[in-house]
């Protein structure tokens, strides 16, 4: 229920930006070059969580206006295949424009590289180990969690969503707090028989919400609009003109080839017969297809932004662009999937905040967890968080968005022992194992530690019997060599932090205490089950 139905009318910012030229894509190479130069200039002195003694003790200041909030998420989008993150192909001119005009975080990490656990973490501001959504999709989130959309609705926002992945179905309580929640796979399919979950369908459905959003906004009700695109999730089948995009270009090579095995589905050391596209076994054929899906989705993001601009819905809008996880494209012998391992190919995603006239363009080169997204949006919306911006297991990134040092974490934050410094660290989980035997990850600016507890996972990370694998991300970004013996002090430091983090908090302490029940139990319907099977989740 909306607690504040008389929210004050929004006033335009004194500096109203001109309409974004999303279709002026000829500018993309120029802006991309500028963004990359900005990365070099800012990374060395980027703001990080490592506030130390220089961090101010003052409370986090709110934004000057309570903004409308547009959250755009693209499924399965790894950061290093986005042009503004340094990729060699121009896959994302629209996203690059957002990055050039906004704050681009260079080292974001998801908390679990699979859709349901990742979004459960984002929307509840809790880690998978503590909210119970781990390993797989199809498990309902406990409805007692106070979800991001619920909080925003209670702050007087109109809350609307269009989602194209069955892992985010109402069946699993991801709709909590939304006034409108459109699931593409549950609608009548297109008459031409095309995929109902394609990006242009998502864009069209989001456009259909704009009249209602405009009417609510005129009544003084800001909006929170979440649009989740499914492309470029496997199988990589970009439509129309995008089908052959990037095939045979200057970055394409006929070698190496993929091992095709006589099985219906395979992930490690090859692919199964049912995963083969167009009879091709060249690795670059599939990588080019993946990149083409990104380009196709990027165009649809531009169309959506154009529509919002045409209806004057961007004048006071904080736009956030990110993804739920990346994708392994043959690295570490892991083909066209995600969730099984905690390598950067699946953990590192783009994260861009765009708010012209309020946030100055910059690149933040320090690690950042997506668990902090919820508190950031809540504080931007006027929520009364603690003095240091913390909420649940995350905290607001507003100081970093302004280029300011973060306040230090208070002693014992997130249950960590006072002698364990939490500042500058990021945590994640991944894997197929059960009973809390899955992989645990901690990283700082340079090093990343993966704790693999079982032989099936160890053999693909550091080798059988190797429980702790340390990677030097600055000098080995593709994580090919264990440097634990070369840096024993860093190994021990990160081991202590990981152990303290893993023992902190637990599910029962984090659910909403307002009620023990919140509705009838939900079961997966046939449409959601069919979609999840087609995506390889079931």
């Amino acid at each position: 229920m909306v607690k504040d139905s008389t929210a004050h009318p929004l006033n335009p910012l004194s500096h109203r930006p001109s309409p974004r030229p999303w279709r002026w894509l000829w500018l993309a190479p120029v802006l991309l070059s500028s963004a990359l130069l900005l990365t070099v200039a800012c990374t060395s002195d980027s703001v990080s969580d490592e506030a130390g003694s220089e961090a101010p003790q003052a409370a986090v200041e709110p934004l000057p206006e309570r903004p409308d909030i547009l959250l755009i998420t693209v499924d399965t989008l790894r950061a290093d295949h986005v042009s503004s993150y340094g990729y060699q192909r121009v896959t994302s001119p629209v996203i690059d424009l957002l990055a050039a005009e906004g704050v681009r975080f260079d080292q974001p990490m998801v908390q679990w590289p699979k859709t349901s656990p990742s979004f459960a973490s984002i929307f509840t501001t809790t880690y998978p180990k503590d909210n119970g959504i781990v390993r797989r999709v199809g498990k309902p989130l406990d409805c007692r969690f106070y979800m991001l959309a619920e909080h925003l609705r209670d702050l007087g926002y109109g809350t609307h969503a269009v989602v194209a992945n069955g892992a985010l179905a109402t069946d699993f309580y991801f709709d909590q707090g939304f006034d409108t929640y459109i699931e593409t796979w549950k609608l009548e399919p297109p008459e031409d028989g095309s995929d109902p979950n394609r990006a242009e369908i998502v864009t069209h459905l989001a456009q259909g919400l704009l009249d209602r959003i405009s009417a609510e906004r005129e009544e003084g009700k800001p909006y929170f609009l979440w649009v989740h695109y499914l492309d470029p999730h496997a199988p990589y089948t970009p439509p129309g003109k995008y089908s052959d995009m990037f095939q045979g270009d200057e970055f394409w090579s006929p070698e190496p080839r993929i091992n095709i095995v006589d099985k219906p589905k395979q992930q490690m050391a090859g692919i199964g017969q049912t995963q083969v596209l167009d009879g091709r076994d060249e690795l670059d054929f599939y990588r080019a297809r993946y990149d083409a899906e990104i380009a196709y989705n990027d165009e649809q993001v531009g169309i959506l932004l154009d529509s919002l601009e045409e209806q004057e819905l961007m004048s006071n809008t904080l736009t956030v662009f990110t993804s739920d996880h990346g994708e392994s494209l043959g690295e570490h012998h892991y083909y066209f999937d995600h969730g099984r391992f905690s390598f950067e190919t699946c953990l590192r995603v783009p994260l861009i905040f765009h708010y012209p006239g309020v946030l100055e363009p910059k690149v933040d080169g320090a690690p950042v967890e997506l668990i902090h997204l919820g508190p950031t949006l809540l504080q931007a919306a006027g929520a009364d968080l603690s003095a240091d911006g913390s909420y649940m297991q995350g905290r607001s990134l507003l100081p970093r968005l302004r280029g300011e040092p973060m306040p230090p974490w208070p002693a014992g934050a997130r249950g960590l022992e006072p002698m364990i410094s939490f500042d500058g660290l990021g945590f994640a989980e991944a894997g197929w194992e059960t009973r809390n035997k899955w992989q645990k990850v901690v990283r700082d600016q340079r090093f990343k530690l993966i704790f693999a507890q079982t032989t099936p996972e160890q053999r693909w990370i550091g080798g059988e019997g190797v429980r702790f694998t340390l990677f030097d991300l600055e000098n080995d970004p593709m994580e090919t060599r264990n440097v634990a013996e070369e840096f024993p002090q860093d190994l021990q430091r990160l081991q202590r932090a990981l152990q303290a983090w893993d023992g902190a908090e637990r599910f029962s302490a984090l659910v909403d205490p307002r009620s023990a029940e919140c509705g009838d139990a939900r079961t997966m319907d046939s449409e959601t089950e069919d979609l999840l099977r087609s995506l390889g989740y079931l």
Side-chain angles (χ1 to χ4, degrees), residues 304-441:
L304 174 63
L305 293 172
D306 275 340
S307 298
L308 286 158
E309 191 73 58
E310 289 167 4
Q311 294 203 214
E312 299 183 349
L313 291 172
M314 293 293 287
S315 61
N316 186 39
T317 298
L318 170 61
T319 301
V320 181
F321 180 89
T322 190
S323 177
D324 52 351
H325 54 74
E327 183 83 324
S328 186
L329 300 172
E331 298 89 355
H332 306 100
H333 309 288
Y334 184 34
Y335 288 90
F336 316 142
D337 204 359
H338 48 269
R340 184 168 181 171
F341 296 106
S342 51
F343 295 114
E344 292 297 283
T345 53
C346 294
L347 286 186
R348 184 177 175 232
V349 296
L351 178 61
I352 298 165
F353 287 79
H354 181 269
Y355 198 178
V358 176
L359 298 177
E360 294 295 326
K362 63 173 64 70
V363 175
D364 185 314
V368 63
E369 301 167 90
L370 257 61
I371 198 173
H372 301 318
L373 179 55
T376 305
L377 297 183
L378 289 176
Q379 191 155 55
D384 186 17
L385 304 185
S386 63
D388 61 1
S390 61
Y391 169 77
M392 299 294 278
Q393 293 179 314
R395 62 173 172 170
S396 172
L397 296 171
L398 289 189
R400 290 178 65 171
L401 290 174
R402 295 191 183 95
E404 302 168 358
M406 290 286 286
W409 280 97
R414 294 191 191 174
L416 294 178
E417 300 174 17
M419 69 284 297
I420 301 293
S421 173
F422 187 81
D423 293 326
L425 300 180
F427 300 91
E429 302 165 89
W432 284 4
E433 298 292 343
T434 60
R435 300 180 182 179
N436 206 23
K437 295 291 186 181
W438 50 79
Q439 297 153 53
K440 312 281 184 173
V441 177

Side-chain angles (χ1 to χ4, degrees), residues 176-451:
Q176 281 193 183
F178 284 99
D179 300 324
T180 309
Y181 199 80
I182 300 175
E183 301 163 283
T184 56
W185 64 96
K186 293 184 179 180
L187 303 177
E188 288 293 327
E191 294 181 359
D192 61 3
S194 61
D195 185 350
N197 307 304
R198 277 291 184 200
E200 67 261 30
I201 302 296
V202 176
T203 298
H204 178 71
L205 292 169
Q207 289 171 322
L209 294 172
L210 299 188
D211 285 342
R212 177 179 176 181
I213 289 173
S214 294
E216 290 178 344
R217 199 165 177 258
E218 288 178 1
E219 297 173 356
K221 196 174 195 178
Y223 70 82
F224 170 51
L225 174 60
W226 173 35
V227 182
H228 181 69
Y229 292 95
L230 182 57
D231 310 87
H233 195 289
Y236 315 133
T237 54
K241 66 180 181 180
Y242 291 95
S243 180
D244 296 325
M245 191 177 192
F246 304 128
Q247 298 292 341
D249 68 3
E250 60 184 307
F251 306 112
W252 195 94
S253 172
E255 300 293 339
R257 305 275 175 156
I258 305 172
N259 181 38
I260 299 175
V261 300
D262 189 20
K263 293 182 180 180
K265 186 171 175 62
Q266 177 83 5
Q267 293 177 322
M268 304 307 300
I271 61 176
Q273 292 286 349
T274 60
Q275 298 162 273
V276 177
L277 298 177
D278 294 356
R280 306 292 289 269
D281 66 350
E282 307 99 316
L283 179 58
D284 272 2
F285 169 81
Y286 292 86
R287 288 179 173 172
R289 279 284 187 90
Y290 175 80
D291 291 343
E293 290 263 31
I294 297 173
Y296 160 62
N297 208 145
D298 181 82
E299 179 185 60
Q300 290 301 315
V301 171
I303 292 171
L304 174 63
L305 293 172
D306 275 340
S307 298
L308 286 158
E309 191 73 58
E310 289 167 4
Q311 294 203 214
E312 299 183 349
L313 291 172
M314 293 293 287
S315 61
N316 186 39
T317 298
L318 170 61
T319 301
V320 181
F321 180 89
T322 190
S323 177
D324 52 351
H325 54 74
E327 183 83 324
S328 186
L329 300 172
E331 298 89 355
H332 306 100
H333 309 288
Y334 184 34
Y335 288 90
F336 316 142
D337 204 359
H338 48 269
R340 184 168 181 171
F341 296 106
S342 51
F343 295 114
E344 292 297 283
T345 53
C346 294
L347 286 186
R348 184 177 175 232
V349 296
L351 178 61
I352 298 165
F353 287 79
H354 181 269
Y355 198 178
V358 176
L359 298 177
E360 294 295 326
K362 63 173 64 70
V363 175
D364 185 314
V368 63
E369 301 167 90
L370 257 61
I371 198 173
H372 301 318
L373 179 55
T376 305
L377 297 183
L378 289 176
Q379 191 155 55
D384 186 17
L385 304 185
S386 63
D388 61 1
S390 61
Y391 169 77
M392 299 294 278
Q393 293 179 314
R395 62 173 172 170
S396 172
L397 296 171
L398 289 189
R400 290 178 65 171
L401 290 174
R402 295 191 183 95
E404 302 168 358
M406 290 286 286
W409 280 97
R414 294 191 191 174
L416 294 178
E417 300 174 17
M419 69 284 297
I420 301 293
S421 173
F422 187 81
D423 293 326
L425 300 180
F427 300 91
E429 302 165 89
W432 284 4
E433 298 292 343
T434 60
R435 300 180 182 179
N436 206 23
K437 295 291 186 181
W438 50 79
Q439 297 153 53
K440 312 281 184 173
V441 177
V442 60
R443 68 158 293 181
D444 59 16
Q445 182 73 52
R446 177 177 178 181
F447 293 103
K448 174 180 173 181
L449 179 67
I450 299 178
F451 174 44

Side-chain angles (χ1 to χ4, degrees), residues 98-125:
L98 287 174
E101 292 185 344
V103 178
R104 179 175 70 81
F105 286 91
D106 189 63
Q107 296 293 323
M109 62 186 300
V110 303
Q111 273 44 76
W112 194 297
K114 213 165 187 66
T115 299
S116 291
S118 182
F119 276 111
S121 183
I122 291 171
F123 287 155
T124 67
T125 315

Side-chain angles (χ1 to χ4, degrees), residues 11-17 64-65 315-316 355-358:
N11 295 316
L13 296 174
S14 57
H15 172 77
R16 174 177 175 144
E65 295 275 353
S315 61
N316 186 39
Y355 198 178
V358 176

